[in-house]
Amino acid sequence: MLSSPKNDIPGHERQLDLVFRALGDRTRRKLLARLREKPAMVTELAQPFVISLPAVSRHIRVLESAGLVRRAIDGRVHRCSLNAEPLRSIDAWLAHYRSFWEGALDSLARYAEGRPDHKL
């Protein structure tokens, strides 16, 4: 069975799920890209989008729940900043597949150079 109850999922797996879910939306990726440049208020983040401020706030909440965004509140001003630390878990997960990609690229290079397929 591929699906398990939430309480059976280890913490690091749950974190991966949250981060992948957050990154799975184009608007949220664009918000992160803006925050990569500098922290910003929610209203500043919302400006280039043709969606409502509450919709942008919902996207930011998803990013916060994944740990990708930190929000500081000073009165009515909500300032958001990027927290790239959860992306390390994605990088670690992807590391398991790097040897596959690198092996495929090495094979392609050998093929393009006309060398037989052998490992050194």
Side-chain angles (χ1 to χ4, degrees):
M1 177 182 224
L2 293 177
S3 187
S4 341
K6 278 188 177 181
N7 55 358
D8 289 349
I9 301 172
H12 67 282
E13 291 289 327
R14 194 176 3 261
Q15 177 66 22
L16 276 175
D17 290 347
L18 289 170
V19 174
F20 274 119
R21 176 176 171 251
L23 295 174
D25 182 88
R26 181 179 317 145
T27 301
R28 290 193 284 269
R29 290 191 305 270
K30 287 180 180 178
L31 288 168
L32 285 178
R34 296 220 29 230
L35 289 172
R36 186 180 61 221
E37 297 167 14
K38 64 179 182 173
M41 294 183 298
V42 174
T43 52
E44 293 171 333
L45 290 170
Q47 285 175 354
F49 298 102
V50 240
I51 57 176
S52 67
L53 186 58
V56 170
S57 288
R58 284 191 294 274
H59 282 296
I60 291 170
R61 280 195 298 276
V62 171
L63 293 167
E64 283 180 295
S65 70
L68 292 164
V69 167
R70 291 189 178 128
R71 186 189 312 226
I73 302 171
D74 184 17
R76 292 177 36 167
V77 176
H78 292 228
R79 182 164 293 281
C80 299
S81 60
L82 174 66
N83 176 32
E85 188 61 31
L87 295 175
R88 287 184 193 269
S89 63
I90 299 298
D91 185 51
W93 184 81
L94 289 172
H96 299 287
Y97 301 95
R98 256 187 212 107
S99 62
F100 170 75
W101 295 326
E102 290 167 356
L105 289 174
D106 290 345
S107 293
L108 178 61
R110 282 192 299 277
Y111 177 78
E113 294 170 359
R115 292 185 291 161
D117 191 23
H118 68 282
K119 298 202 181 217
L120 299 175

